[in-house]
Amino acid sequence: MNRATLMFGVLLALALPLSLLAGRVWLDPASTPNATIILAELRLPRAVLAMIVGGGLGAAGAAMQGYLRNPLADPGLFGIAPGAALGAVVALWFGYAASAWLLPLFALVGAGGAMALLAAIAGRTGGIALFTLAGLMVASLAGALTALAISMAPNAFAMSEIVLWLNGALTDRSWREVWIAAPLVTLGVVLLWRTGRSLDALTLGEPVARSLGIDTSKLLWLLILGIGLTVGASVAVAGIIGFVGLIVPHLVRPLTDRRPSQLIVPSALAGALLVLVADSVVRVLPLVTELRLGIALSLLGAPFFLCLLIRMRRGLA
Amino acid sequence: MTLSAQYLSLAGRLEAASCALEKGGITAICGPNGAGKSSLLQILAGLLETDAGEVTLDGESLASLESRAKRLGYLPQAPEIAWDVTVRSVVELGRIPHRDAATAPVEAAIAAMDLAGYESRRAQALSGGEQARVLLARVLAGEPEWILADEPLAALDIGHQQALIGHLKREARAGRGVVLVLHDLAMAMNHADRVLVLDEGRLVADAGPAEALSSERIAEVWGVETRWLGEEGARALAHA
């Protein structure tokens, strides 16, 4: 276990109880009526889901940056999140979202479709450039179809529902979403964790990695599966929550020895912490309607990204 | 104990040829830019597939050889270190094929490349010559039977060039196979036991250095009139 894993593990353990108590109404377990029910049925599943979603996105971002050897890479580049979003939008468009299981199911099918398309285009050769381009095209196609669905929405209600859903949130989530996401994200994080050694080898470039016996096409498959499961399941239960996969590995990297393998587990923990804290903050903010978590994280993420670019520009100049 | 490539060809880059390399000496691959030197080295390392034929290591096909990564160490021409990792982390990557964390070979490689005291420095922040030594130390840490290096001397000053070639010679004397792509013909002449000359994808010579790199051959392949000065083992190439 490295220093960063320990640090984010401890912070997460401290943040979880605070997050359970935090909200528009702060909970006092001793005096608040129905405190046990509120905790067990509302706040605990929401907090657990925040950690699952954040953990999956953080690990996916760390693996993605390691694979592309680029600190600006984001798991969204693979087109899996837009694919999952498209699936969910289709469910909303046809009004299937009234049934609680159908929306996540459609989103998972969308993520699976994006993964299959990626694998069909780029999976056999395993080239990084081809793969990135294929991911961008899948993302662009899914984005265009989503925009088409919004513009041709059957009624104003469906349209606003779609737009609202696309700005991810954890409002009104229950244990059902936890049971959908937990096994998929856990499996995805384990697959990504297993790519660590190969990602370390890639530090010296693809030919060297192959000469060290790394099977680069197997690595690509593991990544598609791992990122597909983590990101696909996250979008299925929470909608699009951007920037976590980009920011978290950056925050964590200076605390590690910078080997990609050492970044995956602490990034999962830090992602869980970030989404948990961000979701608690949007609950506490005194606004008329709760700020959507996806919007809040983008509001935080975009300036962060700009600072990063400015710092990099200084470094390059 | 041979690494042999037979009838290899690579569309547009290399014509069919056959060569069998022996351990215990330095084999240099020479030729003008674009002759196919790096491609040949990558084929020997099992990293490029040929249209036909196969590369074998002691009679076993490289394509299906599980132990390839343990037995062949490959160093590409362009150095690449993607993350700001330490020198020790880079050298330790050489142990990946062995799936162990043995420290003795890593320490030995660090010492052999004169990198003691550099272990915790960031590899990206080092000079080109220092990085070249770090990357070669990574190859040595894997204790391969064969070292296949593409222009390992290119970024080094003359002192480190001499030290590195001396080290590779010792590795060869100790029974390893060393195959180097070399642009510096004097280096090949003075230090290689055998030289392969490539010209536009054709293997035009496979012989000892005196024969493979004769003035006539250099004129024919490189199109430059030259003559060798000095004595055997310390020759220099001068324009005629």
Side-chain angles (χ1 to χ4, degrees):
Chain A
M1 197 197 307
N2 59 34
R3 193 168 53 128
T5 306
L6 188 70
M7 187 181 127
F8 287 110
V10 169
L11 284 175
L12 197 58
L14 293 176
L16 179 62
L18 273 177
S19 140
L20 293 177
L21 301 181
R24 188 66 54 80
V25 178
W26 284 78
L27 251 172
D28 178 354
S31 63
T32 311
N34 299 324
T36 321
I37 292 180
I38 293 173
L39 274 177
E41 295 303 322
L42 293 174
R43 294 210 173 156
L44 189 59
R46 185 167 170 166
V48 171
L49 198 63
M51 292 192 295
I52 290 169
V53 166
L57 293 175
M64 188 76 182
Q65 292 183 2
Y67 180 66
L68 296 180
R69 283 167 283 155
N70 188 334
L72 301 181
D74 178 276
L77 281 178
F78 272 20
I80 287 163
L86 176 65
V89 166
V90 167
L92 290 164
W93 203 91
F94 286 108
Y96 294 158
S99 159
W101 292 94
L102 276 177
L103 189 141
L105 185 70
F106 268 64
L108 290 174
V109 169
M115 281 156 68
L117 205 53
L118 263 186
I121 298 169
R124 213 166 294 168
T125 57
I128 289 176
L130 178 66
F131 188 49
T132 314
L133 283 172
L136 281 172
M137 287 309 110
V138 172
S140 162
L141 180 67
L145 289 170
T146 301
L148 182 72
I150 293 171
S151 66
M152 294 177 65
N155 54 60
F157 176 72
M159 187 191 276
S160 84
E161 223 189 351
I162 290 172
V163 172
L164 208 58
W165 186 87
L166 281 175
N167 299 314
L170 292 169
T171 322
D172 304 329
R173 301 302 197 271
S174 65
W175 287 110
R176 186 181 55 232
E177 278 83 8
V178 172
W179 298 134
I180 293 172
L184 299 175
V185 170
T186 306
L187 180 61
V189 172
V190 169
L191 290 179
L192 293 176
W193 173 70
R194 288 193 44 166
T195 65
R197 209 170 49 97
S198 304
L199 295 180
D200 283 352
L202 266 184
T203 301
L204 300 182
E206 212 176 341
V208 171
R210 287 200 294 134
S211 81
L212 289 169
I214 302 300
D215 182 343
T216 45
S217 39
K218 190 180 144 200
L219 170 63
L220 185 59
W221 281 103
L222 271 176
L223 276 168
I224 293 181
L225 263 178
I227 291 179
L229 287 167
T230 49
V231 176
S234 298
V235 175
V237 295
I240 301 265
I241 293 178
F243 283 107
V244 176
L246 177 69
I247 300 174
V248 163
H250 272 287
L251 294 175
V252 177
R253 190 171 287 118
L255 304 171
T256 69
D257 63 7
R258 291 173 169 78
R259 279 184 295 160
S261 62
Q262 300 303 302
L263 195 56
I264 294 173
V265 173
S267 289
L269 292 172
L273 179 68
L274 175 65
V275 175
L276 181 71
V277 171
D279 187 52
S280 308
V281 170
V282 297
R283 279 203 313 253
V284 173
L285 283 180
L287 299 173
V288 179
T289 54
E290 190 181 298
L291 179 63
R292 305 286 290 182
L293 180 62
I295 299 175
L297 280 165
S298 293
L299 282 174
L300 183 75
F304 178 86
F305 196 88
L306 281 173
C307 290
L308 199 72
L309 287 175
I310 290 166
R311 237 176 49 193
M312 278 183 69
R313 192 189 59 182
R314 284 202 192 124
L316 294 171
Chain B
M1 300 296 260
T2 56
L3 178 65
S4 72
Q6 290 186 324
Y7 306 113
L8 57 91
S9 77
L10 189 71
R13 275 188 279 178
L14 278 181
E15 276 183 27
S18 157
C19 57
L21 309 180
E22 299 287 336
K23 279 200 210 170
I26 293 184
T27 303
I29 302 176
C30 298
N33 288 331
K37 304 181 292 294
S38 296
S39 298
L40 178 57
L41 194 74
Q42 287 186 36
I43 288 168
L44 291 170
L47 300 176
L48 263 186
E49 272 185 40
T50 53
D51 301 333
E54 63 174 353
V55 183
T56 58
L57 183 58
D58 299 338
E60 284 184 82
S61 173
L62 214 53
S64 57
L65 193 62
E66 287 277 327
S67 60
R68 185 203 74 187
K70 279 186 211 169
R71 298 173 66 183
L72 301 182
Y74 169 74
L75 185 67
Q77 184 176 5
E80 183 178 352
I81 303 172
W83 302 105
D84 202 11
V85 292
T86 62
V87 166
R88 175 176 288 276
S89 294
V90 173
V91 178
E92 281 173 349
L93 291 175
R95 297 307 297 173
I96 283 183
H98 301 269
R99 295 169 181 270
D100 66 15
T103 52
V106 172
E107 299 298 343
I110 286 173
M113 285 297 103
D114 196 13
L115 289 167
Y118 283 71
E119 290 95 331
S120 50
R121 293 196 35 198
R122 301 279 163 194
Q124 278 183 342
L126 301 178
S127 72
E130 289 164 336
Q131 283 188 6
R133 279 151 54 205
V134 172
L135 293 171
L136 189 65
R138 187 275 299 169
V139 174
L140 297 178
E143 303 179 301
E145 291 167 32
W146 288 82
I147 297 169
L148 309 170
D150 201 341
E151 292 274 5
L153 306 177
L156 300 182
D157 62 53
I158 188 164
H160 278 112
Q161 278 192 351
Q162 293 297 337
L164 184 73
I165 201 82
H167 186 79
L168 289 172
K169 271 181 152 172
R170 280 195 296 279
E171 296 286 336
R173 300 287 171 264
R176 283 188 182 159
V178 177
V179 185
L180 309 175
V181 170
L182 289 179
H183 256 306
D184 185 337
L185 299 183
M187 271 288 175
M189 180 63 119
N190 293 327
H191 300 290
D193 299 288
R194 186 171 162 193
V195 177
L196 307 181
V197 178
L198 288 174
D199 186 20
E200 294 180 353
R202 281 176 305 123
L203 185 60
V204 294
D206 176 359
E211 189 193 331
L213 294 174
S214 63
S215 298
E216 296 78 34
R217 177 105 53 206
I218 293 174
E220 188 188 311
V221 174
W222 279 266
V224 192
E225 294 296 331
T226 54
R227 61 195 166 87
W228 288 103
L229 307 174
E231 297 157 15
E232 197 180 326
R235 293 202 187 278
L237 194 58
H239 287 280

